[in-house]
Amino acid sequence: MGDDGVRNEAIEIMGLCQFLPRLVVFDLDYTLWPFYCECRSKCDMPKLYPQAKGILYALKDKGVHIAIASRSPTPDIANTFLDKLGLKSMFVAQEIFSSWTHKTDHFQRINRKTRIPYNEMLFFDDEDRNIEAVSKMGVTSILVGNGVNLKALKQGLSSFSQSRSSLEGNNQNSSPKSSKTEEK
């Protein structure tokens, strides 16, 4: 399936969701593209995972902001690749820097730049430690195995929508029981 086919299917998936995130944040290495930047040269021509570009464009088409949170030790290479792929201008925030904090610093910066609350964000990453740390901030976070794809998007949007539904239900019902969240 080409970029347009993926884009159309992603738009269809989003149309089925009761709630959409205001911001979707992506890791780069092994999430949007199948390599580590530090193992490549600026001269290389990067490639995204097959469904990544269509998903990015679908999110933009639906008015969902997108951002990057990457712990790359070579931000210069990452930025060069984003330029080569023609994607750099799509992102409202690009936090690409080395860090020992499992991306919490990245998300604090993204939050300050965008003013979007953590509970209105969706995050895709290939490292469990990042998923765990960012989830604790209130961000719906999805672990990807072989890069972002339509299956991961559907899972992420479904999880986000369920979280938002729970929040909406809690806000509408003021009984003490309604403030408890159910175990998943």
Side-chain angles (χ1 to χ4, degrees):
M1 180 181 328
D3 292 339
D4 286 339
V6 172
R7 175 194 239 165
N8 292 338
E9 193 167 331
I11 288 171
E12 194 174 306
I13 291 167
M14 285 186 265
L16 300 173
C17 297
Q18 183 178 0
F19 299 100
L20 290 177
R22 288 181 51 203
L23 177 68
V24 178
V25 182
F26 296 92
D27 173 43
L28 291 175
D29 299 345
Y30 289 98
T31 301
L32 285 183
W33 49 53
F35 53 82
Y36 290 115
C37 284
E38 60 264 30
C39 297
R40 305 294 290 268
S41 156
K42 285 185 184 181
C43 299
D44 293 339
M45 186 58 198
K47 289 191 181 196
L48 296 172
Y49 278 107
Q51 297 181 342
K53 192 172 194 174
I55 289 169
L56 293 173
Y57 278 100
L59 290 165
K60 292 301 280 184
D61 287 351
K62 292 294 276 182
V64 177
H65 297 292
I66 56 177
I68 295 168
S70 176
R71 292 186 314 137
S72 175
T74 54
D76 55 327
I77 294 173
N79 282 305
T80 298
F81 286 176
L82 290 169
D83 274 335
K84 284 184 174 189
L85 292 165
L87 301 175
K88 198 163 175 72
S89 65
M90 292 183 73
F91 301 97
V92 296
Q94 297 173 41
E95 294 301 328
I96 307 169
F97 58 90
S98 189
S99 169
W100 298 107
T101 63
H102 311 303
K103 304 229 173 128
T104 53
D105 285 348
H106 295 74
F107 273 82
Q108 288 168 355
R109 289 181 183 196
I110 289 169
N111 172 261
R112 279 195 300 270
K113 280 183 183 174
T114 64
R115 302 271 185 229
I116 296 174
Y118 298 124
N119 68 354
E120 294 185 27
M121 297 181 188
L122 172 59
F123 174 49
F124 294 95
D125 197 298
D126 67 309
E127 291 187 34
D128 197 40
R129 62 186 175 159
N130 294 328
I131 296 298
E132 287 178 28
V134 173
S135 290
K136 289 177 184 171
M137 300 174 81
V139 177
T140 301
S141 302
I142 302 298
L143 183 67
V144 297
N146 290 314
V148 70
N149 56 38
L150 289 167
K151 182 179 177 187
L153 177 69
K154 190 173 188 175
Q155 178 190 355
L157 292 172
S158 176
S159 294
F160 178 83
S161 208
Q162 288 172 357
S163 295
R164 290 297 298 182
S165 291
S166 296
L167 284 174
E168 294 288 317
N170 289 342
N171 289 339
Q172 291 174 5
N173 185 347
S174 60
S175 71
K177 288 184 182 178
S178 70
S179 63
K180 293 182 183 176
T181 55
E182 294 180 33
E183 297 276 332
K184 289 186 180 178

